[in-house]
Each structure stands twice: as structure tokens, then as C-alpha cells.
Amino acid sequence: MMELRWDIILIGTSAGGMKALEAILPQIPQDFPIPIVIVQHMGPDSDNYLASLLNEKCQVNVTEAQDGEKILSGTAYLAPGGYHLLIENDKTLSLCVGEKINYSRPSIDVLFSSASDVFGEKTLAIILTGANKDGTEGAIHIREDGGTVIAQDPATAEVPTMPQAVVDAEAADHVLPLDEIAQFIVGKVLLYDRD
Amino acid sequence: MNARDIVNVEVEVLLSAIRERYGWDFYYYKRASLKRRIATFLHENNLKHVSELIPLIMWDKEIFEHLIHSLSVPVTEMYRDPSFFNALRNEVVPILKTYPFIKVWHAGCASGEEAYSMAILLQEEGLLPRSRLYATDINDDGLKKAEQGVYQLDDIKEYQNNYHKSGGKGDLLDYFRISSNKAIINTSLKHNVRFSNHNLIRDSSFGTMNIIFCRNVYIYFEPELQDRVTQLFLDSLAPGGFICLGSKESIHIENYPHELEVFNERARIYRKLYQ
Ligand SMILES: C[S@@+](CC[C@H](N)C(=O)[O-])C[C@H]1O[C@@H](n2cnc3c(N)ncnc32)[C@H](O)[C@@H]1O
């Protein structure tokens, strides 16, 4: 029997993130078996313009995360501007207007930590380009729970600070150039070591 | 059981300890944000495990109150979501203008910024003298701050942008007295605003309102509790009264076919039907 290596894929990014997401998400096949949840730093006014833009370019469904919504495979959920995005034990999404974390709401740390509480070692988190250090603490949390962390190779990042912080904290299992990330996750998603 | 499962158990035990000891029921609060706030509280108090909190809150009411305050999320702004306040001003206020007296309830008012935003709006529309605003919360620290009406000047300056986008007619700073780095809300705006403690879970209806704000509170509640609170609001509204939720919140209108209609979907404004 085939088993999935991960049950959730998280992506955190900030400055330069739109282009980086455009390099990864369109390569994910429509029948990809794992839900994807994304925090791209943005302000409260951003509407769901980013989600609809990405949705046009992707085979998976890209949509703004709705409070209380169940996460499904074949879908990428984008945190709305002005809200933290968390995942509940029953695999529904939750929004929260609590304090900014790392000057950010949505914050990557908040998403990563709450997802790790639910999915543990079945979590894959990816940190892409960005100008601050949001995501490092979340990445550490994920590693402690046995999950996997990929940092974009800072040399390929429009703004290297964010993936570099994860690398410096020794919280990355893999450091990959931007154009290899999609291939990596699609190639590794199935675990074949069970029969 | 792995460590994550153990934490889940600890959280449930803590919540029932709080319920048994103090009668506060967090059972229908969503766990992810509660857990995050409990973790922060542990960190700030140099505690390692959630269960260490139980003996502390059992025997020390003050610690319990600190915990409650950190569990609620009293984070707010003036004119949060300007497009909502714009719809309020342009679509709801003309209806309110036809009423001889206007009763407003801000449920979950945190430190008062939303209630004062409404007071200013009503003032600009000439309605404040015949309005009464009731603003309630479970967080006494927030309520105290709200009653004082003293805010950071820098914050108020940041809200100017929101205020203008919401259709504000003057200068937001004119509604405050500035004293060094503080902005103090004008007393004339406070006369018709009453702050008090009210728990949406435990306490009953508040009288007959014309408009209820409950913004960014439903996101912390499980659907069962959201439904209960919606029912409480229906019982507290005059026919034709309005319910205003946060931008990412909604009411399943199909559950209330004879009670409610959507008034402005984007702005999350609902209206109680005349029966
Ligand atoms: C995020 S704030 C929303 C403030 C404001 N309405 C806004 O949208 O900016 C949520 C508030 O709901 C309050 N709250 C939580 N549970 C409550 C309950 N059971 N009864 C009354 N208020 C509650 C919290 O204390 C907090 O101040």
C-alpha cells in the first residue's frame, strides 16, 4: 500500500514571495494528494487578489482561507491579510486577529506552530524569500515535532534574510534552489516503503 | 500518546478545572488559538507544562484572572475594516435616522476603539444625542482602558487613514485631547457610551437593540457557540435591527429563514426581519 510522506504542506514567504510562489505552485499537479497552506505576508487591504491571481495560473485550486473551512487536498489556502491563520485538530482552518508576531499578521510562525501541533512528523514546511525572520521559530517547532523543513537556497532568493535565518538556526532539512522545490515535493510525496 | 496528544489532554483538563472552579466555560472556544495563548502564558510565567497551571489557578484567583485576560484576545483598532464602516454610514445610518432613539450594543468591545468609532460616526451624522451605546466584554482590563478612553497618540494617528477610508467627515484627532504622547477621547463622546462586563456565554439578553456589533469574536467560537450567540442577538434585537460581524465571519442565514436576512453580504451586515 502507498502512504503519503506528509499530510500537510506549509509555505511561508514575505518580500518577493509572489514571484517565488509563481515558480512553485503552477507545477503542482491537480490531483496532488496533500493540502497546501500558505502565509504570504500582506496587509489587511489586500483583498483576495493574490489568491485569484495564483488560481488562474495553477492546476490546484488556490483560494483565500476561510474561517472554519475544512482543508482538502488539491487546494492551496492563502492566509488573508490582517489575520493569523491556524489549523485545528479537526483539520479546519481558524483565523485570529491577535497581536502581530514578528511585525506580521498573518505570521508564518503562528501557522507553522499550530500546524505542527496537529500534523507532527507529517508536516512539511517551506520557507521562501523574505526580509525578516518570521518562520524560524515555527521551523524549529516543526523539527522538534519530527516534521520536515525546506529552506529556499538563499542564493536563489530575491530577499535572502528569511530562508537564511532558518538555515542559520539549523532548522532546515533541505536547502534547495527555487526551481527544484516543486519537483522535490512532488517526487517525494509518496512513501513506498510499506506493502 | 505522543507529546502533542498529552498537551491536548492537559488543555482539556485545564478547561474543565476552570469551569468547575470558576464557572467560566471555554469548552466551545476553538483550541488552536487558545493553545497558542496558553503557551505564551506558560512562557511568561516560567512554566513548562499546561498542567502546572491547574494548582495555580485553583488556589489563586489573581492568577486565574491573569490567565483569563491572556486567553481573551483584546486586540482592536478604530475603524477596523473601513469598507464595513463605509457601508454602515451609507446604508444603515439612513435607516437609523428614521428612529426616535437608537440603541447600540458592541459585544466584545475589547478596549473600546470600535465603540468610540461608532460614537464619532453617530456624532457626525447628528445621531449621537439620541443614541445610547452599550459596550461589553469579559476582559476587565480592556473595559477599564475603554472607560478611560486614553490611547497612544501614535495609534490614533495610524487610524486616521482607516477613518478617512470609512467616509469620516473631519479630522479624527479633533475628537481627542492630546497630552504628550496620549490621545484622550473627548468627554462629549463618552456621555452616551456605557462599558460593562457581559459574558456572551453565560449572561442573558441585554434589552432591545437597534444594532449589534459583534466583530472578530465569532472566529474564536465553535459553530455551536456561534449559533447560541446568534440566538442571543436575535432575542436582543428590535424588529428590523442589525447584526454586524467581522469581515471574515458569517451567519448561516439558512438556519434563520424566518428571523434574519443578509443586508450587505460583503460588509457582513445582517438584518432581523419584521414578523
Ligand atoms: C479580537 S477582539 C474584537 C474587538 C473589536 N470588536 C474589533 O473587532 O476590533 C475580541 C474580544 O472578544 C472578547 N470576548 C471573548 N469571549 C467573550 C465572551 N464570551 N463574551 C464577551 N466577550 C468575549 C474578548 O475579550 C476580546 O476583547
Side-chain angles (χ1 to χ4, degrees):
Chain A
M1 211 192 85
M2 286 187 302
E3 198 193 319
L4 298 174
R5 190 180 299 268
W6 303 293
D7 286 337
I8 188 87
I9 293 180
L10 312 170
I11 302 178
T13 182
S14 183
M18 186 58 199
K19 264 199 233 153
L21 289 171
E22 279 178 318
I24 295 176
L25 286 180
Q27 296 189 55
I28 307 292
Q30 191 181 358
D31 60 356
F32 191 67
I34 310 175
I36 301 169
V37 186
I38 304 165
V39 165
Q40 150 84 69
H41 286 164
M42 55 181 145
D45 305 331
S46 33
D47 252 348
N48 65 355
Y49 143 88
L50 187 57
S52 43
L53 206 96
L54 282 170
N55 191 43
E56 275 172 28
K57 302 191 173 172
C58 293
Q59 305 167 61
V60 291
N61 211 358
V62 185
T63 154
E64 188 184 274
Q66 310 264 339
D67 187 62
E69 184 179 17
K70 188 130 196 141
I71 49 173
L72 301 172
S73 61
T75 312
Y77 301 88
L78 207 66
Y83 294 80
H84 293 304
L85 177 59
L86 300 94
I87 302 180
E88 303 286 342
N89 282 332
D90 65 359
K91 299 179 179 124
T92 56
L93 297 167
S94 263
L95 299 176
C96 170
V97 290
E99 300 83 357
K100 289 184 178 175
I101 304 285
N102 308 313
Y103 311 101
S104 312
R105 191 177 58 208
S107 146
I108 301 165
D109 280 342
V110 171
L111 172 68
F112 280 16
S113 301
S114 91
S116 191
D117 283 348
V118 175
F119 294 99
E121 72 284 358
K122 298 291 243 179
T123 308
L124 171 65
I126 305 164
I127 283 276
L128 304 174
T129 165
N132 70 10
K133 295 187 176 173
D134 192 20
T136 299
E137 215 159 277
I140 294 171
H141 189 139
I142 288 170
R143 289 286 299 270
E144 282 168 2
D145 288 342
T148 307
V149 175
I150 298 174
Q152 176 181 1
D153 179 351
T156 69
E158 203 171 310
V159 186
T161 316
M162 212 156 80
Q164 188 66 51
V166 172
V167 174
D168 291 347
E170 296 180 8
D173 297 273
H174 308 277
V175 180
L176 299 174
L178 181 61
D179 57 6
E180 287 178 21
I181 292 175
Q183 226 178 311
F184 178 93
I185 56 181
V186 174
K188 287 237 189 275
V189 66
L190 295 178
L191 271 175
Y192 288 98
D193 54 2
R194 301 238 176 136
D195 50 324
Chain B
M1 248 190 212
N2 63 32
R4 290 175 287 120
D5 297 331
I6 297 174
V7 173
N8 286 333
V9 173
E10 285 182 299
V11 168
E12 297 314 307
V13 177
L14 174 69
L15 296 186
S16 56
I18 292 175
R19 186 175 54 234
E20 299 297 320
R21 170 72 176 82
Y22 296 100
W24 283 74
D25 197 352
F26 284 101
Y27 184 77
Y28 288 110
Y29 280 59
K30 291 196 208 155
R31 294 297 187 269
S33 123
L34 268 188
K35 273 164 71 176
R36 187 173 173 84
R37 301 189 82 81
I38 293 171
T40 309
F41 189 84
L42 290 176
H43 186 76
E44 285 167 359
N45 290 277
N46 288 315
L47 299 168
K48 185 150 188 263
H49 298 299
V50 179
S51 41
E52 290 169 45
L53 269 175
I54 295 168
L56 292 176
I57 60 129
M58 277 291 163
W59 298 100
D60 190 335
K61 191 153 189 240
E62 221 168 281
I63 296 188
F64 165 71
E65 269 158 16
H66 283 307
L67 178 66
I68 292 296
H69 289 158
S70 352
L71 293 190
S72 89
V73 185
V75 180
T76 185
E77 288 167 30
M78 288 190 85
Y79 299 98
R80 194 204 281 267
D81 309 315
S83 58
F84 157 72
F85 278 95
N86 204 286
L88 183 69
R89 196 186 278 267
N90 293 319
E91 295 166 36
V92 177
V93 163
I95 297 171
L96 297 181
K97 278 190 174 158
T98 66
Y99 299 163
F101 192 74
I102 301 153
K103 285 169 90 172
V104 185
W105 179 12
H106 292 270
C109 66
S111 40
E113 286 86 334
E114 180 188 277
Y116 289 130
S117 301
M118 181 61 171
I120 290 170
L121 191 158
L122 290 170
Q123 166 88 341
E124 291 181 352
E125 298 296 332
L127 293 177
L128 190 59
R130 54 185 159 108
S131 303
R132 173 58 65 91
L133 288 74
Y134 303 87
T136 62
D137 205 284
I138 50 169
N139 188 318
D140 285 327
D141 287 349
L143 289 170
K144 210 159 98 196
K145 208 174 147 202
E147 231 155 45
Q148 289 165 345
V150 181
Y151 301 103
Q152 295 296 329
L153 179 57
D154 285 347
D155 289 342
I156 302 297
K157 283 187 178 156
E158 277 202 21
Y159 304 145
Q160 278 177 309
N161 196 15
N162 278 1
Y163 166 75
H164 286 298
K165 279 197 239 160
S166 79
K169 291 182 173 164
D171 182 344
L172 185 59
L173 286 175
D174 286 345
Y175 298 101
F176 293 85
R177 186 163 61 77
I178 312 299
S179 165
S180 65
N181 59 349
K182 302 280 191 232
I184 305 150
I185 192 93
N186 287 345
T187 354
S188 60
L189 289 162
K190 288 167 94 174
H191 286 318
N192 296 355
V193 188
R194 291 278 173 284
F195 292 99
S196 58
N197 192 307
H198 180 282
N199 187 338
L200 289 167
I201 295 173
R202 208 170 46 178
D203 298 331
S204 51
S205 159
F206 217 80
T208 312
M209 301 292 152
N210 300 109
I211 176 164
I212 298 174
F213 291 71
C214 187
R215 310 196 68 233
N216 301 302
V217 180
Y218 275 37
I219 46 176
Y220 298 100
F221 292 171
E222 294 282 358
E224 295 89 331
L225 182 54
Q226 295 180 8
D227 287 340
R228 251 167 61 197
V229 174
T230 302
Q231 193 55 55
L232 173 71
F233 290 157
L234 283 170
D235 295 340
S236 312
L237 270 182
F242 298 91
I243 300 177
C244 305
L245 300 183
S247 311
K248 305 293 176 192
E249 297 169 323
S250 52
I251 291 176
H252 293 292
I253 197 79
E254 58 281 5
N255 296 345
Y256 305 93
H258 305 297
E259 288 103 343
L260 270 179
E261 65 179 4
V262 178
F263 182 78
N264 180 326
E265 182 157 18
R266 266 191 75 84
R268 312 292 163 131
I269 304 175
Y270 300 84
R271 190 167 194 201
K272 184 172 167 177
L273 296 170
Y274 290 90
Q275 273 145 341

